[in-house]
């Protein structure tokens, strides 16, 4: 196995790693953690592995990783032979990708927090989280609009990169937090483009692109 992932099915951050592993065709060992209601990520067993009290946790190459940006960067460096997902030799792209990886953390702290409240009844400052989530969706819409005028569907350059993977889950899960996609047509196109990638996998709240025709039982 290439790495071990301490994983929770409803976590958008864990899903970033599951999705990227599937797009790269990489297999890994998944350990299910009872995040809710068990709070196992704060329990003795996991604190011995990582004191961060967050999921996911990745064990890879003797490292204990707790930041999904680092996990995606490591996976791309290790398994993407074409170097499109993390184009190390292109300084401008790498810089912009790092910027959008930072933005992905803002999505966790805004949409992710509001979603914890609406789905798991977590006590959070919902007004702050929702206001931040709306601001983040506006920024994302503006960036993707700018890119579409350049002829690209993706956040950086002309191909999907780890920036798209990092920002995708919480942008896609915004309706779970009470933020609908209606006002963001370019985000909707981008979500569709990611859901159409070969190797795409779902999580609860994010479904596959609809098949328009059942190919197995046609007339
Ligand atoms: N900085 C980490 C944060 C990961 C994170 O916030 N994970 C959430 C689950 S999606 C978590 O474990 N939160 C702890 C909690 O809410 O108790 C990253 O971006 O990867």
């Amino acid at each position: 196995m290439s790495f071990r992932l301490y994983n929770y099915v409803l976590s958008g951050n864990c899903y970033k790693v599951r999705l990227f592993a599937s797009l790269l065709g990489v297999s890994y060992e998944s350990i299910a953690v009872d995040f809710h209601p068990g709070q196992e990520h704060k329990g003795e067993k996991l604190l011995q592995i990582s004191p961060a009290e967050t999921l996911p946790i990745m064990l890879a190459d003797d490292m204990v990783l707790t930041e999904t940006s680092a996990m995606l960067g490591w996976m791309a460096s290790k398994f993407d032979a074409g170097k499109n997902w993390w184009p190390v030799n292109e300084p401008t792209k790498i810089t912009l990708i790092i910027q959008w990886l930072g933005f992905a953390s803002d999505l966790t702290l805004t949409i992710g927090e509001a979603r914890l409240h609406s789905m798991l009844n977590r006590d959070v400052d919902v007004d702050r989280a929702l206001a931040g989530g709306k601001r983040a969706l506006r920024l994302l819409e503006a960036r993707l609009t700018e890119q579409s005028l350049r002829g690209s569907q993706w956040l950086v350059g002309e191909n999907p990169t780890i920036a798209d993977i990092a920002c995708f889950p919480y942008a896609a899960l915004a309706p779970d937090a009470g933020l609908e996609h209606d006002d963001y047509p370019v985000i909707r196109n981008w979500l569709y483009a990611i859901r159409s990638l070969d190797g795409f996998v779902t999580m609860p709240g994010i479904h596959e692109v609809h098949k328009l025709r059942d190919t197995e039982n046609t007339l």
Side-chain angles (χ1 to χ4, degrees):
M1 289 290 166
S2 47
F3 62 88
R4 173 183 289 186
L5 185 71
Y6 291 88
N7 199 359
Y8 175 58
V9 68
L10 291 179
S11 154
N13 278 304
C14 295
Y15 172 63
K16 292 175 192 177
V17 177
R18 300 197 298 269
L19 171 60
F20 195 39
S22 177
L23 294 171
L24 292 171
V26 173
S27 58
Y28 61 94
E29 181 189 7
S30 174
I31 311 283
V33 177
D34 180 3
F35 179 92
H36 181 85
Q39 298 274 301
E40 275 182 348
H41 59 302
K42 296 184 178 169
E44 213 177 297
K45 269 194 199 157
L46 275 195
L47 289 181
Q48 277 174 16
I49 299 169
S50 152
E53 300 191 7
T54 57
L55 292 178
I57 303 165
M58 179 191 273
L59 304 189
D61 280 354
D62 293 332
M63 295 180 290
V64 179
L65 299 178
T66 54
E67 291 295 326
T68 41
S69 301
M71 298 175 203
L72 297 176
W74 177 81
M75 291 164 78
S77 310
K78 192 105 177 170
F79 305 112
D80 171 27
K83 303 285 173 241
N84 281 325
W85 290 100
W86 177 237
V88 269
N89 297 321
E90 299 183 67
T92 306
K93 282 187 188 165
I94 286 291
T95 306
L96 289 173
I97 290 171
I98 293 171
Q99 176 150 295
W100 286 101
L101 292 174
F103 176 83
S105 295
D106 289 349
L107 291 174
T108 299
L109 294 173
T110 55
I111 297 173
E113 286 276 301
R115 181 172 167 267
L116 280 176
H117 174 75
S118 59
M119 292 186 68
L120 306 182
N121 213 15
R122 184 74 70 81
D123 184 18
V124 302
D125 182 343
V126 188
D127 290 342
R128 183 207 60 82
L130 287 175
K134 276 185 198 157
R135 186 185 55 93
L137 290 175
R138 280 199 304 273
L139 284 172
L140 193 57
E141 179 80 4
R143 171 61 182 178
L144 290 167
T145 303
E146 191 183 293
Q147 281 291 90
S148 74
L149 296 172
R150 296 191 180 105
S152 170
Q153 300 183 276
W154 310 107
L155 275 171
V156 177
E158 315 72 37
N159 301 303
T161 65
I162 59 172
D164 297 286
I165 303 305
C167 294
F168 173 71
Y170 287 108
L173 292 167
D176 277 358
L179 296 172
E180 296 300 332
H181 292 135
D182 302 19
D183 292 337
Y184 310 103
V186 192
I187 291 182
R188 291 203 305 272
N189 288 342
W190 170 74
L191 297 175
Y192 189 89
I194 295 175
R195 288 162 56 226
S196 305
L197 291 171
D198 280 349
F200 178 80
V201 285
T202 61
M203 71 164 274
I206 302 180
H207 55 81
E208 284 173 331
V209 169
H210 296 294
K211 286 186 189 146
L212 295 180
R213 197 176 162 91
D214 183 339
T215 47
E216 278 169 23
N217 291 312
T218 50
L219 283 175

